Amino acid sequence: NTKSYDGELHQIWSNDEDAVHFKISINGKGLKDIVQTFQYLYEVKLISNYDLGSGQISGEDDFEIEIIPPNDNAVKVCVIDSGIQENHKLIEPAIDSANSRSYVDGDASTADYVRQSGHGTKVAGAVLYPKSIPKTGQIQLEHFVQNARILNADNKLPSNKFEPKLMEEIVSDYSDTRIFNLSVAANFSYLGTHMPAWAAAIDKLIHENDILFVISAGNLYTSSNWNRSLGIKEHIEAGRNYPDYLGRTGSKIANPGVSYFALTVGSIAKEDFEDDDYKSLAGKYLISPFSRTGLGMWNCIKPDVVEFGGDFAKNKLSTELITNEVISPELVNSTLYGASATGKDDCGTSFSAPKVSHIAAKLQAEHPNESAQMYRALIVQSARLPEHCFHNPTFNDFTHYGYGIPDVNRALNNSKSRITFIQSGRIKPKMADIYRVEIPNELRGEGKEFRILVEITLAFTAKTRMTRKKSHSYLSNWLEWKTSNYNERFSSFRNRTIEYLETDREDGETEEVDETAEVIKWVIRENSAWAANGINRNNSTVQKSWAVIEPHQFAEEFSLAVIGHTGWDKN
C-alpha cells in the first residue's frame, strides 16, 4: 500500500540466481511492516553516502608540453566517477568524447563538479599519468579515457539510481570496453555476512562479460565523530596511534571494494617527510594512514594490491594533519572552480586505483586476445610486498598491502633473470589441469651460488549466489592450485593429484598433509594452520604465493596442478 507508506519504487535488480533487490523510498511505518511481516526478506540496508576526499588548490599551470593523442586503436578505460573536465589540456587528447555519458537524470553535463579541484578529473589524469606529469617535451598518451558520470552536482548518487542496476547499464553502454575504474566507495566499512548487492553485481558482470573492474578500497576521514567511521584525528586523540587504528572494524574495506572478482586497490606512502613542525604519519612504503584494510569477505585477501596514494604529515605538538608536495601524488586538477592545472596536495585510494588501471590497459594492449582474468593475474603476479615484510609477512601485512605493489615491467616483460609462463582455460569440478616445467641443468643441482624465487598466481571467476555466507558456497565452482614437492618427479605428483581428486575433499582446511622437509613451504598456504601468517590462499579468487627454492631442491621438472571443486552447483 504505497499510498499510506509514502512509498516509491526506484529500481529493481536481480542476480538471476537467488536474489531480487529493490531500491525504494518509504516511511518508517512501511519499513517496519516489511521487516516484520515479509518472510522472504533477508537483507535491508539504508542508502550509503560516498567518500571522495577533497582537493585543494596548488600546483602549476605553466606547461611547455606537446601532447599527442593515443593511437586510433588504443585501449579504452572507462572512468565511473563524478565526471571529468574533458577540455583540460592534459586530458583532452585522450577523451573518447563520443562516448561521454551522464547517468544523472535531468543533467546531461559530464563535467566534474567536485570542489575545489575535482575528483573524476584527477582519476582520469592518474590513468594517463600514473607516475608524474611531464612539464616539457613531447608525450604520446597510451590510452583513451571514457567518462561515465554517476554523481550529481552534490557529489551524491541520485536517489532514484540503484548501484547494481547502474553498473549493468554502464557495462551495457560501454560494451566494447574491458577495463572499468571505480574510485567511488561507501564512507564506512562493509561488515555484512552476505556479499552486498553492488559488489555482487560487479562480480556477475565480470564473470559474464570478461571484463575487469579496478576499485578503490575506500578512505578513512581525516576527522569524523561518526562512531561507524571515526576519523584519524579522533583515533589518535583516543590513544589509538598509527597504524593500530587500521586494524579496527571501522577501518575495513568499503563496499563495493569487497567484490570477490574485482581488483581492489589500497594506498601506500612513497616518501618520508620531516621538518621542524611536521612528520609523515606513515613513511616510505608503509600503508597510508587513510587506506582501508582487509581482510575481505570470508577472509579473502583484500586489498588485492596497493599503489602510491599519498600520506599525511602530523603536527608534532597536536593532531593537525596536512598534505604537501613531498608526500602527495601529482594529480591533474579540474580548473572549474579556479584550481591550478595540477596539484600535489590531495591523497586517497581513489588515486591508487587508476594507476593499476593503467597497467591493466597496457596488458590489454599487449595481449588483446587474453581474458580479463589474465590481466588480473599478471597484475597480482607482478606485485611484491615492500622489502621490510617480503620475506616473512605477517597477517597484518596482508591486511595492509594485499599481495603488494604491482610493477608494470614485471607484468609486461620477461628479463634475463625472470620468466613468466601464462595459461588460460576452463576447468570442471573434480578435474585438474596438470602442467610440467622442465628445469634446465643450469638452474638445479649442488654447488650453485644462487636461489630461485618461484611465484604462482591463479585468477578465476564463477557464477555466484548472494544468499550464501561462505567463500566456496558463494561460488558455483572454485579452483585451487597445488605443486610438486622438493625433488618430486612428475609421475609421483600426477598420482598424488589423482588420489586427491578421488578423495572428493571440498575444503582445503581439512586436508591432511605430510609436513616433512619435502613439502615446499609456500608463504601463503592452502590451509591457514600451515603458515605462521594464518592466511588461507583458497579463500580468494586470485590466489598467489611464492617460495625461495635452492637449486639442489629441484627435480628435472617442476609440476603444477589447477584443481576444480564444486561450490553450490553440484552439477
Side-chain angles (χ1 to χ4, degrees):
N1 187 341
T2 58
K3 187 173 182 180
S4 62
Y5 290 157
D6 298 324
E8 181 180 357
L9 174 62
H10 297 302
Q11 285 188 316
I12 302 172
W13 175 76
S14 170
N15 73 340
D16 298 327
E17 289 290 345
D18 65 338
V20 179
H21 284 251
F22 303 86
K23 184 172 185 179
I24 63 174
S25 298
I26 198 167
N27 63 25
K29 180 181 178 182
L31 178 61
K32 182 178 179 181
D33 191 3
I34 291 174
V35 171
Q36 291 182 341
T37 63
F38 190 63
Q39 61 177 323
Y40 300 109
L41 182 73
Y42 85 97
E43 183 177 66
V44 175
K45 293 186 181 298
L46 299 177
I47 294 174
S48 300
N49 289 320
Y50 303 103
D51 176 61
L52 298 181
S54 58
Q56 305 299 318
I57 304 177
S58 71
E60 296 187 35
D61 283 322
D62 186 18
F63 291 90
E64 297 180 4
I65 182 174
E66 179 187 358
I67 301 176
I68 302 173
N71 295 326
D72 292 343
N73 61 347
V75 170
K76 298 175 181 179
V77 177
C78 181
V79 173
I80 305 171
D81 214 282
S82 61
I84 299 171
Q85 184 184 2
E86 295 188 4
N87 64 351
H88 196 293
K89 56 188 173 184
L90 293 171
I91 294 178
E92 184 177 17
I95 292 292
D96 178 19
S97 56
N99 286 301
S100 298
R101 292 180 173 89
S102 170
Y103 294 88
V104 180
D105 292 346
D107 186 354
S109 172
T110 56
D112 183 359
Y113 293 101
V114 174
R115 293 179 181 270
Q116 289 289 324
S117 50
H119 187 268
T121 304
K122 294 179 179 180
V123 172
V127 172
L128 300 172
Y129 307 97
K131 299 299 182 184
S132 62
I133 302 172
K135 305 299 185 296
T136 60
Q138 185 184 80
I139 182 173
Q140 181 174 23
L141 299 178
E142 297 181 79
H143 323 302
F144 286 107
V145 170
Q146 296 172 317
N147 181 6
R149 180 189 172 209
I150 64 171
L151 302 182
N152 61 23
D154 296 323
N155 305 321
K156 295 181 179 179
L157 192 73
S159 61
N160 65 331
K161 294 293 185 181
F162 189 27
E163 299 95 336
K165 196 71 176 177
L166 183 57
M167 296 299 106
E168 283 188 346
E169 187 178 352
I170 292 171
V171 170
S172 176
D173 288 342
Y174 293 93
S175 58
D176 293 331
T177 301
R178 301 184 66 197
I179 299 168
F180 295 82
N181 189 99
L182 182 59
S183 289
V184 180
N187 59 348
F188 55 88
S189 304
Y190 182 75
L191 303 175
T193 56
H194 299 92
M195 186 66 70
W198 191 1
I202 290 172
D203 285 343
K204 183 172 184 287
L205 291 165
I206 289 172
H207 176 67
E208 293 178 349
N209 296 278
D210 187 25
I211 57 178
L212 180 64
F213 266 76
V214 181
I215 305 177
S216 60
N219 306 309
L220 299 181
Y221 288 115
T222 305
S223 180
S224 167
N225 285 305
W226 184 26
N227 200 42
R228 194 172 184 181
S229 187
L230 288 175
I232 299 170
K233 288 183 178 179
E234 285 68 31
H235 281 302
I236 294 174
E237 289 170 354
R240 296 183 290 269
N241 293 319
Y242 170 90
D244 297 341
Y245 61 81
L246 292 173
R248 295 173 62 87
T249 56
S251 301
K252 298 304 176 184
I253 290 173
N255 186 24
V258 293
S259 161
Y260 223 35
F261 302 150
L263 268 177
T264 304
V265 185
S267 175
I268 59 164
K270 194 173 184 179
E271 300 293 343
D272 294 318
F273 172 78
E274 184 173 9
D275 63 13
D276 291 342
D277 300 313
Y278 297 92
K279 183 178 181 180
S280 51
L281 199 55
K284 192 171 184 177
Y285 296 143
L286 296 175
I287 184 171
S288 299
F290 50 78
S291 186
R292 291 190 172 274
T293 60
L295 296 173
M297 295 289 292
W298 311 304
N299 291 324
C300 73
I301 288 186
K302 289 285 177 180
D304 296 277
V305 293
V306 291
E307 251 290 1
F308 172 46
D311 196 356
F312 286 128
K314 179 184 172 297
N315 190 304
K316 295 178 179 180
L317 301 178
S318 71
T319 59
E320 179 194 12
L321 300 175
I322 65 168
T323 59
N324 63 36
E325 63 180 11
V326 175
I327 58 176
S328 299
E330 185 175 29
L331 302 169
V332 177
N333 287 338
S334 167
T335 61
L336 183 63
Y337 298 109
S340 54
T342 66
K344 287 186 176 182
D345 50 11
D346 200 2
C347 56
T349 60
S350 289
F351 315 123
S352 303
K355 297 181 179 187
V356 177
S357 294
H358 174 86
I359 300 176
K362 289 179 74 73
L363 283 167
Q364 184 184 340
E366 184 77 13
H367 304 285
N369 298 320
E370 287 289 351
S371 70
Q373 287 306 301
M374 180 62 76
Y375 309 150
R376 181 186 179 210
L378 286 171
I379 289 169
V380 171
Q381 176 77 356
S382 78
R384 298 270 174 88
L385 288 171
E387 183 63 27
H388 70 266
C389 62
F390 175 77
H391 296 283
N392 190 28
T394 66
F395 179 88
N396 282 342
D397 292 327
F398 288 111
T399 67
H400 290 180
Y401 309 108
Y403 293 110
I405 309 163
D407 180 271
V408 65
N409 290 322
R410 284 197 295 263
L412 284 166
N413 306 310
N414 294 318
S415 69
K416 291 183 178 180
S417 61
R418 184 186 53 79
I419 187 168
T420 301
F421 297 91
I422 63 175
Q423 179 67 38
S424 297
R426 304 173 76 90
I427 301 177
K428 296 179 181 180
K430 303 179 183 179
M431 301 290 286
D433 282 355
I434 304 178
Y435 302 92
R436 177 177 62 181
V437 179
E438 294 184 3
I439 306 299
N441 291 334
E442 293 85 352
L443 293 183
R444 61 186 179 86
E446 301 287 347
K448 301 291 194 298
E449 295 182 355
F450 55 81
R451 297 186 299 168
I452 301 168
L453 173 66
V454 181
E455 300 171 295
I456 300 174
T457 303
L458 166 69
F460 68 92
T461 68
K463 290 183 178 180
T464 59
R465 281 188 173 174
M466 293 180 59
T467 55
R468 305 305 176 95
K469 293 184 177 182
K470 293 183 178 180
S471 58
H472 298 157
S473 60
Y474 177 64
L475 304 172
S476 58
N477 314 290
W478 62 279
L479 305 183
E480 67 169 327
W481 59 263
K482 291 181 177 293
T483 69
S484 53
N485 296 330
Y486 296 126
N487 288 302
E488 184 177 19
R489 296 282 184 152
F490 175 77
S491 58
S492 169
F493 175 70
R494 180 183 57 195
N495 292 338
R496 283 201 302 112
T497 301
I498 293 172
E499 181 181 350
Y500 177 70
L501 289 172
E502 291 175 345
T503 60
D504 197 27
R505 289 194 179 98
E506 296 303 331
D507 187 352
E509 290 282 22
T510 64
E511 182 194 4
E512 296 178 2
V513 69
D514 179 12
E515 284 292 271
T516 67
E518 296 303 309
V519 177
I520 297 176
K521 301 302 191 297
W522 299 100
V523 170
I524 309 174
R525 303 295 300 276
E526 64 272 37
N527 186 318
S528 59
W530 297 342
N533 54 58
I535 302 291
N536 182 342
R537 69 170 181 255
N538 286 354
N539 288 340
S540 303
T541 61
V542 57
Q543 302 168 3
K544 178 182 180 179
S545 195
W546 59 95
V548 176
I549 299 179
E550 302 285 349
H552 71 269
Q553 295 174 318
F554 276 116
E556 295 178 356
E557 60 252 325
F558 176 82
S559 306
L560 168 72
V562 181
I563 300 168
H565 297 280
T566 57
W568 54 258
D569 186 356
K570 302 305 179 185
N571 295 321

